[in-house]
Amino acid sequence: HLAATMGCRVIALFSAREKKEKYFPYGNEKLVIRKDVDCEGCSLKDCVKNNTKCVNMIEINEVAEAAGKILEDIGNIG
């Protein structure tokens, strides 16, 4: 959140524990990765029922692609 406040580009990974966008960083310089699941908004601190499926659904390649987009944008500045 501090980086987003300062206008830095941010990749933010979120579980579906809370409602969508409740804690998303402010600003336009963010890429949020969050999966929609049927148990969204559960507010559970420890997900024993679904084994944290909302987090486990986030793929490494999705995060890598997001980082690549940011790096590409940085390379196109100026």
Side-chain angles (χ1 to χ4, degrees), residues 12-31:
L13 310 179
F14 279 87
S15 71
R17 178 180 150 185
E18 301 294 341
K19 291 182 181 179
K20 188 180 275 189
E21 298 185 19
K22 182 174 183 178
Y23 293 111
F24 284 12
Y26 293 114
N28 297 323
E29 298 295 328
K30 65 179 182 281
L31 291 171

